[in-house]
Amino acid sequence: MAYDYAKYLRAGKIPHIWCPGCGYGIIMKSVIRAVDSLGWDKDKLVFTSGIGCASRLPGYIDANTLHTTHGRSLAFATGVKMAKPELNVIALGGDGDMTAIGGNHFIHACRRNIDITCLVFNNYIYGMTGGQYSPTTPKGSRATTAPYGNSDNQFDIAKLAIGAGATFVARSTTYHAVPMEKLIKQAFEHKGFSVVEIIAGCPTGYGRKNKLASPSAMIEWQKDHSVNKAQWEKMTDEEKAGKFPIGVLHQESRPEFIEAYDANVGLS
Ligand code: SF4
Ligand code: MG
C-alpha cells in the first residue's frame, strides 16, 4: 500500500536535520503509517517532545505539536490529556530525555496509567549534545564522556516501564520497521499508558565511538542482538546474554487515570 507521507508533513520543514544514516527517519515513517492506518484526524492528534535529536520529530509533522523543555515531554502531555481527554496524545523523546532528565516524569506517568503513548527513541547516547553517555549506554561502551568505556550499569527501559506500572510495553528496533509500525499502532490503541522503546542507530554519536559508524553496521547489530519475545522465553540465561527481546513485552488492563480521577471526584 502506498502511503501519502506528504499529507502528514509540515510544509517547508523537510529536509530534516538528522544525520545521514540516523535511525530516526525510519521511526518517523513508522509513526506516520501507524497514525494513518488508524485514520486519526490530525486536528485531534498531539505530539509533545522534549529536547534532543528525537524531539525534533514533532517539528516535521503537521498535527498539534509541543516542542517543550528537556525531559518535560510527559509533563506537557499529561496536562494536554487532562484538559482535553478526547485528543490522541503521543509523548516522545530520546533515552537521555526520557530516562535521565525526564526520568521522574517517566516513572510517574507509568504508575499513573494515563492514556498517553510514550515513544522512547533509544540510541544509547546523547546524540545532539555531542555523544555523552546516557542512562542506556551499555557498560563498557565508549562515549565522549567515557573515553575508557562507560562504568555505569545500563537502564533497561522496557523493564523500567513494566516495573513502574505501564500497562502496555513493547520494544522494537529500526531494523524491524514493519513490525515496529504494528507495535506503535497497538500502543496507540491501548487504553492506558503505553510505552514503545525503539532501538535506533546513531552513527554519528554512538557509532563513531564504538566501531559501528556505518548505518548498515548499526542495522546489522540490531538484527543480530534482538530476539522475538516467543523465542526469548525459550532461551537459557546463557543464550540471552548480550541480547534483548522485541515485541509486546507486557500488556494488562487497569483503570485509566482520567476515568478513575473523574469517578473519584464525582464527574462520572
Ligand atoms: Fe541521529 Fe545521532 Fe545524528 Fe542525532 S547525532 S541526528 S541521533 S545520527
Ligand atoms: Mg539518545
Side-chain angles (χ1 to χ4, degrees):
M1 178 181 171
Y3 279 82
D4 180 9
Y5 294 105
K7 180 167 96 180
Y8 293 95
L9 296 176
R10 210 182 282 269
K13 293 293 178 187
I14 297 289
H16 54 66
I17 63 149
W18 296 317
C19 307
C22 177
Y24 290 174
I26 299 172
I27 303 176
M28 185 161 77
K29 272 184 134 181
S30 291
V31 170
I32 288 175
R33 290 164 73 108
V35 165
D36 194 38
S37 67
L38 289 167
W40 280 353
D41 179 351
K42 287 193 290 181
D43 290 338
K44 296 211 163 71
L45 178 60
V46 182
F47 285 89
T48 69
S49 68
I51 297 295
C53 297
S55 289
R56 295 291 302 199
L57 187 148
Y60 305 125
I61 304 257
D62 183 23
N64 302 290
T65 59
L66 287 166
H67 189 188
T68 74
T69 47
H70 212 345
R72 310 299 173 222
S73 178
L74 279 164
F76 281 84
T78 302
V80 171
K81 189 71 183 175
M82 286 294 285
K84 291 194 173 287
E86 70 278 13
L87 299 179
N88 294 307
V89 181
I90 301 162
L92 60 90
D95 41 289
D97 201 32
M98 280 292 180
T99 64
I101 298 102
N104 254 329
H105 292 297
F106 182 73
I107 57 174
H108 292 291
C110 289
R111 84 179 163 90
R112 187 172 290 134
N113 197 34
I114 190 163
D115 189 23
I116 290 170
T117 294
C118 177
L119 304 176
V120 190
F121 298 21
N122 184 6
N123 58 12
Y124 300 146
I125 204 93
Y126 280 94
M128 183 173 270
T129 49
Q132 298 87 349
Y133 67 85
S134 84
T136 63
T137 306
K139 198 169 189 169
S141 286
R142 288 172 196 275
T144 50
T145 45
Y148 303 106
N150 178 28
S151 308
D152 262 342
N153 293 306
Q154 178 187 26
F155 254 154
D156 180 320
I157 294 177
K159 274 192 189 165
L160 178 67
I162 296 167
T167 48
F168 180 98
V169 179
R171 183 191 282 124
S172 185
T173 80
T174 52
Y175 171 78
H176 302 87
V178 175
M180 181 201 334
E181 175 195 329
K182 291 188 182 134
L183 291 175
I184 293 172
K185 186 178 171 198
Q186 275 177 271
F188 287 165
E189 290 176 312
H190 176 78
K191 182 84 175 174
F193 193 68
S194 53
V195 177
V196 185
E197 176 192 357
I198 304 149
I199 309 293
C202 169
T204 305
Y206 185 80
R208 272 199 308 202
K209 290 277 171 200
N210 292 285
K211 299 194 170 73
L212 286 166
S214 83
S216 58
M218 303 209 83
I219 289 276
E220 282 288 327
W221 186 92
Q222 292 168 19
K223 178 164 76 92
D224 295 344
H225 290 77
S226 54
V227 181
N228 177 284
K229 173 141 186 285
Q231 226 180 309
W232 178 262
E233 280 165 358
K234 294 182 202 142
M235 288 164 68
T236 63
D237 286 350
E238 221 166 57
E239 290 167 331
K240 286 178 181 172
K243 302 202 181 246
F244 54 85
I246 54 170
V248 177
L249 305 181
H250 177 75
Q251 190 162 18
E252 67 177 291
S253 179
R254 205 150 46 76
E256 191 275 330
F257 176 73
I258 297 175
E259 288 181 2
Y261 178 89
D262 285 353
N264 197 27
V265 299
L267 286 172
S268 66

Coordinates of all heavy atoms in Angstrom, one line a residue, residues 38-123:
L38 N -4.9 4.2 11.4 CA -6.0 4.3 12.4 C -7.0 5.4 11.9 O -8.0 5.6 12.4 CB -5.5 4.7 13.7 CG -4.8 3.6 14.5 CD1 -4.0 4.1 15.7 CD2 -5.7 2.5 14.9
G39 N -6.6 6.1 10.8 CA -7.4 7.2 10.3 C -7.7 8.3 11.2 O -8.7 9.0 11.2
W40 N -6.7 8.6 12.1 CA -6.9 9.7 13.1 C -6.9 11.0 12.4 O -6.1 11.3 11.5 CB -5.7 9.6 14.1 CG -5.9 8.6 15.2 CD1 -7.0 7.8 15.4 CD2 -4.9 8.3 16.2 NE1 -6.8 7.1 16.5 CE2 -5.5 7.3 17.0 CE3 -3.6 8.7 16.5 CZ2 -4.9 6.8 18.1 CZ3 -3.0 8.2 17.6 CH2 -3.6 7.2 18.4
D41 N -7.8 11.9 12.9 CA -7.9 13.2 12.5 C -6.7 14.0 13.0 O -6.4 14.0 14.2 CB -9.2 13.8 13.1 CG -9.4 15.3 12.7 OD1 -8.5 15.9 12.1 OD2 -10.5 15.7 13.0
K42 N -5.9 14.7 12.1 CA -4.7 15.4 12.5 C -5.0 16.5 13.6 O -4.2 16.9 14.4 CB -4.0 16.1 11.3 CG -3.3 15.1 10.4 CD -2.4 15.7 9.4 CE -3.2 16.5 8.4 NZ -2.4 17.1 7.4
D43 N -6.3 17.0 13.5 CA -6.6 18.1 14.4 C -6.9 17.6 15.8 O -6.9 18.3 16.8 CB -7.9 18.8 14.0 CG -7.6 19.7 12.7 OD1 -6.4 20.0 12.5 OD2 -8.5 20.0 12.0
K44 N -7.0 16.2 15.9 CA -7.2 15.6 17.3 C -5.9 14.9 17.7 O -6.0 14.0 18.6 CB -8.4 14.7 17.2 CG -9.7 15.4 16.9 CD -10.9 14.7 17.6 CE -12.1 15.6 17.7 NZ -12.8 15.8 16.5
L45 N -4.9 15.1 17.0 CA -3.6 14.4 17.3 C -2.6 15.4 17.9 O -2.4 16.5 17.3 CB -3.1 13.8 16.0 CG -1.8 13.1 16.0 CD1 -1.8 11.9 17.0 CD2 -1.5 12.6 14.6
V46 N -2.0 15.0 19.0 CA -1.0 15.9 19.6 C 0.3 15.2 19.9 O 0.3 14.1 20.4 CB -1.5 16.4 21.0 CG1 -0.5 17.4 21.7 CG2 -2.9 17.1 20.9
F47 N 1.4 15.8 19.5 CA 2.7 15.3 19.8 C 3.4 16.2 20.7 O 3.4 17.4 20.5 CB 3.6 15.2 18.5 CG 3.3 14.1 17.6 CD1 2.3 14.3 16.6 CD2 3.9 12.9 17.6 CE1 2.0 13.3 15.7 CE2 3.6 11.8 16.8 CZ 2.6 12.0 15.8
T48 N 4.0 15.7 21.8 CA 4.8 16.5 22.7 C 6.2 15.9 22.7 O 6.4 14.7 22.6 CB 4.3 16.6 24.1 OG1 4.5 15.3 24.8 CG2 2.9 17.0 24.2
S49 N 7.2 16.8 22.8 CA 8.6 16.3 22.8 C 9.4 17.2 23.8 O 9.0 18.3 24.1 CB 9.2 16.2 21.4 OG 9.4 17.5 20.9
G50 N 10.6 16.7 24.1 CA 11.5 17.5 25.0 C 12.6 18.1 24.1 O 12.3 18.8 23.2
I51 N 13.8 17.8 24.5 CA 14.9 18.3 23.7 C 15.8 17.2 23.3 O 16.0 16.2 24.0 CB 15.7 19.3 24.6 CG1 14.9 20.5 25.0 CG2 17.0 19.8 23.9 CD1 14.4 21.4 23.8
G52 N 16.4 17.3 22.1 CA 17.3 16.3 21.6 C 17.0 15.9 20.2 O 16.0 16.5 19.6
C53 N 17.8 15.1 19.6 CA 17.5 14.7 18.1 C 16.1 14.1 18.0 O 15.4 14.5 17.0 CB 18.6 13.8 17.6 SG 20.3 14.5 17.7
A54 N 15.7 13.2 18.8 CA 14.4 12.6 18.7 C 13.3 13.6 18.8 O 12.3 13.6 18.1 CB 14.2 11.5 19.8
S55 N 13.5 14.6 19.7 CA 12.5 15.5 20.0 C 12.3 16.5 18.8 O 11.4 17.4 18.9 CB 12.8 16.3 21.3 OG 12.6 15.4 22.4
R56 N 13.1 16.4 17.8 CA 12.8 17.3 16.6 C 11.6 16.8 15.8 O 11.1 17.5 15.0 CB 14.1 17.2 15.7 CG 15.3 17.9 16.3 CD 15.2 19.3 16.4 NE 14.9 20.0 15.2 CZ 15.1 21.3 14.9 NH1 15.6 22.0 15.9 NH2 14.8 21.8 13.8
L57 N 11.3 15.5 16.0 CA 10.2 14.9 15.2 C 8.9 15.7 15.1 O 8.4 15.9 13.9 CB 10.0 13.4 15.6 CG 9.1 12.6 14.7 CD1 9.5 11.1 14.8 CD2 7.6 12.7 15.1
P58 N 8.4 16.2 16.2 CA 7.1 16.9 16.0 C 7.2 18.1 15.1 O 6.2 18.5 14.6 CB 6.7 17.3 17.5 CG 7.5 16.3 18.3 CD 8.7 16.0 17.6
G59 N 8.4 18.7 15.0 CA 8.5 19.8 14.1 C 8.3 19.5 12.7 O 8.0 20.4 11.9
Y60 N 8.3 18.3 12.3 CA 8.1 17.9 10.9 C 6.7 17.4 10.6 O 6.4 17.2 9.5 CB 9.1 16.8 10.5 CG 10.6 17.1 10.8 CD1 11.4 16.3 11.6 CD2 11.1 18.3 10.3 CE1 12.7 16.7 11.9 CE2 12.4 18.7 10.6 CZ 13.2 17.9 11.4 OH 14.5 18.3 11.7
I61 N 5.9 17.2 11.7 CA 4.6 16.6 11.5 C 3.5 17.6 11.6 O 3.5 18.5 12.4 CB 4.3 15.5 12.6 CG1 5.4 14.5 12.6 CG2 2.9 14.9 12.5 CD1 5.1 13.2 12.0
D62 N 2.6 17.5 10.6 CA 1.5 18.5 10.5 C 0.4 18.0 11.4 O -0.6 17.4 11.0 CB 1.1 18.6 9.1 CG 0.0 19.7 9.0 OD1 -0.1 20.6 9.8 OD2 -0.8 19.6 8.0
A63 N 0.6 18.3 12.8 CA -0.5 18.0 13.7 C -0.4 19.1 14.8 O 0.3 20.1 14.6 CB -0.3 16.6 14.3
N64 N -1.0 18.9 16.0 CA -0.7 19.8 17.1 C 0.5 19.4 17.8 O 0.6 18.2 18.2 CB -1.9 19.7 18.0 CG -3.2 20.1 17.3 OD1 -3.5 21.2 17.0 ND2 -4.0 19.0 17.1
T65 N 1.5 20.2 17.8 CA 2.8 19.8 18.4 C 3.3 20.8 19.4 O 3.2 22.0 19.3 CB 3.9 19.7 17.3 OG1 4.0 20.9 16.6 CG2 3.5 18.6 16.3
L66 N 4.0 20.2 20.5 CA 4.6 21.0 21.5 C 6.0 20.5 21.7 O 6.3 19.4 22.1 CB 3.8 20.8 22.8 CG 2.5 21.4 23.0 CD1 1.8 20.8 24.2 CD2 2.6 22.9 23.2
H67 N 6.9 21.4 21.3 CA 8.4 21.1 21.4 C 8.8 21.8 22.7 O 8.9 23.0 22.8 CB 9.1 21.6 20.2 CG 10.6 21.2 20.2 ND1 11.4 21.7 19.2 CD2 11.3 20.3 20.9 CE1 12.6 21.2 19.4 NE2 12.6 20.3 20.4
T68 N 8.9 21.0 23.8 CA 9.0 21.7 25.1 C 10.4 21.7 25.7 O 11.4 21.6 24.9 CB 8.0 20.9 26.1 OG1 8.6 19.7 26.5 CG2 6.7 20.7 25.5
T69 N 10.5 21.7 27.0 CA 11.9 21.8 27.6 C 12.4 20.3 27.9 O 11.7 19.4 27.8 CB 11.8 22.5 29.0 OG1 10.7 22.1 29.7 CG2 11.6 24.0 28.7
H70 N 13.7 20.3 28.2 CA 14.4 19.0 28.3 C 13.7 18.1 29.4 O 13.6 18.5 30.5 CB 15.8 19.2 28.6 CG 16.8 18.2 28.1 ND1 16.4 17.0 27.6 CD2 18.1 18.3 28.0 CE1 17.5 16.4 27.2 NE2 18.5 17.1 27.4
G71 N 13.3 16.9 28.9 CA 12.8 15.9 29.8 C 11.3 16.1 30.2 O 10.7 15.3 31.0
R72 N 10.7 17.2 29.7 CA 9.3 17.5 30.2 C 8.2 17.1 29.2 O 7.1 17.5 29.4 CB 9.2 19.0 30.5 CG 10.3 19.6 31.3 CD 10.4 18.9 32.7 NE 11.6 19.4 33.4 CZ 12.4 18.6 34.1 NH1 12.1 17.3 34.3 NH2 13.4 19.1 34.8
S73 N 8.5 16.3 28.2 CA 7.5 15.9 27.3 C 6.3 15.3 27.9 O 5.2 15.7 27.6 CB 8.2 14.9 26.4 OG 7.3 14.4 25.4
L74 N 6.5 14.4 28.9 CA 5.4 13.8 29.5 C 4.6 14.7 30.4 O 3.4 14.5 30.6 CB 5.8 12.5 30.3 CG 6.1 11.3 29.4 CD1 6.9 10.3 30.1 CD2 4.7 10.7 29.0
A75 N 5.2 15.7 31.0 CA 4.5 16.6 31.9 C 3.5 17.4 31.0 O 2.4 17.6 31.4 CB 5.5 17.5 32.6
F76 N 4.0 17.9 29.9 CA 3.1 18.7 29.0 C 2.0 17.8 28.4 O 0.9 18.2 28.3 CB 3.9 19.3 27.8 CG 4.7 20.5 28.2 CD1 5.9 20.5 28.9 CD2 4.1 21.8 28.0 CE1 6.6 21.6 29.3 CE2 4.8 23.0 28.4 CZ 6.0 22.9 29.0
A77 N 2.4 16.5 28.1 CA 1.4 15.6 27.5 C 0.3 15.3 28.5 O -0.9 15.2 28.2 CB 2.1 14.3 27.1
T78 N 0.7 15.2 29.8 CA -0.3 14.9 30.8 C -1.3 16.1 31.0 O -2.5 15.9 31.1 CB 0.4 14.7 32.2 OG1 1.3 13.6 32.0 CG2 -0.5 14.4 33.3
G79 N -0.7 17.3 30.9 CA -1.6 18.5 31.0 C -2.6 18.6 29.9 O -3.8 18.8 30.0
V80 N -2.1 18.3 28.6 CA -3.0 18.3 27.5 C -4.1 17.3 27.6 O -5.2 17.6 27.4 CB -2.1 18.1 26.2 CG1 -3.0 17.9 25.0 CG2 -1.1 19.2 25.9
K81 N -3.7 16.1 28.0 CA -4.6 15.0 28.0 C -5.7 15.2 29.1 O -6.9 14.9 29.0 CB -3.9 13.7 28.3 CG -4.8 12.4 28.2 CD -5.2 12.1 26.8 CE -6.1 10.9 26.7 NZ -6.6 10.7 25.3
M82 N -5.2 15.8 30.3 CA -6.2 16.1 31.3 C -7.2 17.2 30.9 O -8.4 17.1 31.2 CB -5.4 16.6 32.6 CG -4.7 15.6 33.4 SD -5.7 14.4 34.2 CE -6.4 15.3 35.5
A83 N -6.7 18.2 30.2 CA -7.6 19.2 29.7 C -8.5 18.8 28.6 O -9.7 19.2 28.5 CB -6.7 20.4 29.3
K84 N -8.0 17.9 27.7 CA -8.8 17.5 26.5 C -8.6 16.0 26.3 O -7.9 15.6 25.5 CB -8.4 18.3 25.3 CG -8.7 19.8 25.3 CD -8.6 20.4 24.0 CE -9.1 21.8 23.9 NZ -10.6 21.9 24.0
P85 N -9.3 15.2 27.1 CA -9.2 13.8 27.1 C -9.5 13.2 25.7 O -9.1 12.0 25.4 CB -10.1 13.2 28.2 CG -10.5 14.4 29.0 CD -10.3 15.6 28.2
E86 N -10.3 13.9 24.9 CA -10.7 13.4 23.6 C -9.5 13.4 22.6 O -9.6 12.7 21.5 CB -11.9 14.1 23.1 CG -11.6 15.6 22.6 CD -11.6 16.6 23.7 OE1 -11.5 16.2 24.9 OE2 -11.6 17.8 23.4
L87 N -8.4 14.0 22.9 CA -7.3 14.1 22.0 C -6.4 12.8 22.1 O -6.3 12.2 23.1 CB -6.4 15.3 22.2 CG -7.1 16.7 22.1 CD1 -6.2 17.8 22.4 CD2 -7.7 16.9 20.7
N88 N -5.8 12.4 21.0 CA -4.8 11.4 21.0 C -3.5 12.0 21.2 O -3.0 12.8 20.4 CB -4.8 10.6 19.6 CG -6.1 9.9 19.4 OD1 -6.6 9.1 20.2 ND2 -6.8 10.2 18.3
V89 N -2.9 11.6 22.3 CA -1.6 12.3 22.7 C -0.4 11.3 22.7 O -0.5 10.3 23.3 CB -1.8 12.9 24.2 CG1 -0.5 13.6 24.6 CG2 -3.0 13.9 24.2
I90 N 0.6 11.8 22.0 CA 1.8 11.0 21.9 C 3.0 11.8 22.4 O 3.2 12.9 22.0 CB 2.1 10.6 20.4 CG1 0.9 9.9 19.8 CG2 3.4 9.9 20.2 CD1 0.9 9.9 18.3
A91 N 3.6 11.3 23.4 CA 4.8 12.0 24.0 C 6.1 11.2 23.5 O 6.1 10.0 23.6 CB 4.7 12.0 25.5
L92 N 7.0 11.9 23.1 CA 8.2 11.2 22.6 C 9.5 11.9 23.1 O 9.5 13.1 23.4 CB 8.2 11.0 21.1 CG 8.1 12.3 20.2 CD1 9.5 12.7 19.9 CD2 7.4 11.9 19.0
G93 N 10.6 11.1 23.0 CA 11.9 11.7 23.4 C 12.9 10.6 23.3 O 12.6 9.4 23.0
G94 N 14.2 11.0 23.5 CA 15.3 10.1 23.4 C 15.5 9.4 24.7 O 14.8 9.7 25.7
D95 N 16.6 8.6 24.8 CA 16.9 7.9 26.0 C 17.3 8.9 27.1 O 16.9 8.7 28.3 CB 18.0 6.8 25.8 CG 19.1 7.3 24.9 OD1 18.8 7.4 23.7 OD2 20.2 7.5 25.3
G96 N 18.1 9.9 26.8 CA 18.6 10.8 27.8 C 17.4 11.7 28.2 O 17.2 11.9 29.4
D97 N 16.6 12.1 27.3 CA 15.5 13.0 27.6 C 14.5 12.3 28.5 O 14.0 12.9 29.5 CB 14.8 13.3 26.3 CG 13.9 14.6 26.3 OD1 14.2 15.5 27.1 OD2 12.9 14.6 25.6
M98 N 14.2 11.0 28.2 CA 13.1 10.3 29.0 C 13.6 9.6 30.2 O 12.8 9.4 31.1 CB 12.5 9.2 28.0 CG 11.5 9.8 27.1 SD 10.0 10.4 27.9 CE 9.1 10.9 26.4
T99 N 14.9 9.2 30.2 CA 15.2 8.4 31.4 C 16.3 9.0 32.3 O 16.6 8.5 33.3 CB 15.7 6.9 31.0 OG1 16.9 7.1 30.2 CG2 14.7 6.2 30.2
A100 N 16.8 10.2 31.9 CA 17.7 10.9 32.8 C 17.0 12.2 33.2 O 16.3 12.2 34.3 CB 19.0 11.3 32.1
I101 N 17.0 13.2 32.4 CA 16.4 14.5 32.8 C 14.9 14.3 33.1 O 14.3 14.9 34.0 CB 16.6 15.6 31.7 CG1 18.1 15.8 31.5 CG2 15.9 16.9 32.1 CD1 18.7 15.2 30.3
G102 N 14.2 13.5 32.2 CA 12.8 13.3 32.4 C 12.5 12.0 33.1 O 11.3 11.5 33.1
G103 N 13.4 11.4 33.8 CA 13.2 10.1 34.4 C 12.1 10.0 35.4 O 11.3 9.1 35.4
N104 N 12.0 11.1 36.2 CA 10.9 11.1 37.2 C 9.6 11.2 36.5 O 8.6 10.5 36.9 CB 11.1 12.3 38.1 CG 11.6 11.8 39.5 OD1 11.3 10.7 39.9 ND2 12.3 12.7 40.2
H105 N 9.4 12.0 35.5 CA 8.2 12.1 34.8 C 7.8 10.8 34.2 O 6.6 10.4 34.2 CB 8.3 13.2 33.6 CG 8.4 14.6 34.2 ND1 7.4 15.2 34.9 CD2 9.4 15.5 34.0 CE1 7.8 16.4 35.2 NE2 9.0 16.6 34.7
F106 N 8.8 10.1 33.7 CA 8.6 8.8 33.0 C 8.0 7.8 34.0 O 7.0 7.2 33.7 CB 9.9 8.3 32.4 CG 9.7 7.0 31.6 CD1 9.1 7.0 30.4 CD2 10.2 5.8 32.1 CE1 9.0 5.8 29.7 CE2 10.1 4.6 31.4 CZ 9.5 4.6 30.2
I107 N 8.7 7.6 35.1 CA 8.2 6.5 36.0 C 6.8 6.9 36.6 O 6.0 6.0 36.8 CB 9.2 6.2 37.2 CG1 9.6 7.4 38.0 CG2 10.5 5.5 36.6 CD1 10.5 7.1 39.2
H108 N 6.6 8.2 36.9 CA 5.3 8.5 37.5 C 4.1 8.4 36.4 O 3.0 8.1 36.8 CB 5.4 9.8 38.2 CG 6.2 9.8 39.4 ND1 5.9 9.1 40.5 CD2 7.5 10.2 39.6 CE1 6.9 9.1 41.4 NE2 7.9 9.8 40.9
A109 N 4.5 8.7 35.2 CA 3.4 8.6 34.1 C 3.1 7.1 34.0 O 1.9 6.7 33.8 CB 3.9 9.1 32.8
C110 N 4.1 6.2 34.1 CA 3.8 4.7 34.1 C 2.9 4.3 35.2 O 1.9 3.6 35.0 CB 5.2 4.0 34.2 SG 6.2 4.1 32.8
R111 N 3.2 4.7 36.4 CA 2.3 4.3 37.5 C 0.9 4.9 37.5 O -0.1 4.3 37.9 CB 3.0 4.5 38.9 CG 2.8 5.9 39.4 CD 3.5 6.1 40.8 NE 3.6 7.5 41.1 CZ 2.7 8.2 41.8 NH1 1.6 7.6 42.2 NH2 2.9 9.4 42.0
R112 N 0.9 6.1 36.9 CA -0.4 6.8 36.8 C -1.4 6.1 35.8 O -2.6 6.3 35.9 CB -0.2 8.3 36.4 CG -1.3 9.1 36.5 CD -0.9 10.6 36.3 NE -0.2 11.1 37.4 CZ 0.9 11.8 37.3 NH1 1.4 12.1 36.1 NH2 1.5 12.3 38.4
N113 N -0.9 5.5 34.8 CA -1.7 4.9 33.7 C -2.6 5.9 33.0 O -3.8 5.5 32.8 CB -2.4 3.7 34.3 CG -2.9 2.8 33.2 OD1 -2.2 2.6 32.2 ND2 -4.1 2.2 33.3
I114 N -2.1 7.0 32.7 CA -2.9 8.0 31.9 C -2.8 7.5 30.4 O -1.8 6.9 30.0 CB -2.4 9.4 32.1 CG1 -3.3 10.4 31.5 CG2 -0.9 9.6 31.6 CD1 -3.1 11.8 31.9
D115 N -3.9 7.8 29.7 CA -4.0 7.2 28.3 C -3.2 8.1 27.3 O -3.7 8.8 26.5 CB -5.5 7.2 27.9 CG -5.7 6.5 26.6 OD1 -4.9 5.7 26.2 OD2 -6.7 6.8 25.9
I116 N -1.9 7.9 27.4 CA -0.9 8.5 26.5 C 0.1 7.5 26.0 O 0.4 6.5 26.7 CB -0.1 9.6 27.3 CG1 -0.9 10.8 27.7 CG2 1.2 10.1 26.6 CD1 -0.3 11.7 28.7
T117 N 0.5 7.6 24.7 CA 1.5 6.7 24.2 C 2.9 7.4 24.3 O 3.0 8.6 23.9 CB 1.2 6.3 22.8 OG1 0.1 5.6 22.7 CG2 2.4 5.5 22.2
C118 N 3.8 6.8 24.9 CA 5.2 7.3 25.0 C 6.2 6.5 24.1 O 6.3 5.3 24.3 CB 5.6 7.2 26.5 SG 7.3 7.8 26.8
L119 N 6.8 7.2 23.2 CA 7.8 6.6 22.3 C 9.2 7.0 22.8 O 9.5 8.2 22.8 CB 7.5 7.0 20.9 CG 6.1 6.8 20.3 CD1 6.0 7.3 18.9 CD2 5.8 5.3 20.3
V120 N 10.0 6.0 23.1 CA 11.3 6.4 23.6 C 12.3 5.9 22.5 O 12.4 4.7 22.2 CB 11.7 5.7 24.9 CG1 13.0 6.2 25.5 CG2 10.6 5.9 26.0
F121 N 13.0 6.8 21.9 CA 14.0 6.5 20.9 C 15.3 6.3 21.6 O 15.9 7.2 22.1 CB 14.1 7.7 19.9 CG 12.9 8.2 19.2 CD1 11.6 7.8 19.5 CD2 13.1 9.0 18.0 CE1 10.5 8.3 18.8 CE2 12.0 9.4 17.3 CZ 10.7 9.0 17.7
N122 N 15.7 5.0 21.6 CA 16.9 4.7 22.4 C 18.1 4.4 21.5 O 18.2 3.3 20.9 CB 16.6 3.4 23.3 CG 17.7 3.1 24.2 OD1 18.7 3.8 24.3 ND2 17.6 1.9 24.9
N123 N 19.0 5.4 21.4 CA 20.2 5.2 20.6 C 21.4 5.1 21.5 O 22.6 5.2 21.0 CB 20.4 6.2 19.5 CG 20.4 7.6 20.1 OD1 20.5 7.8 21.3 ND2 20.3 8.6 19.3

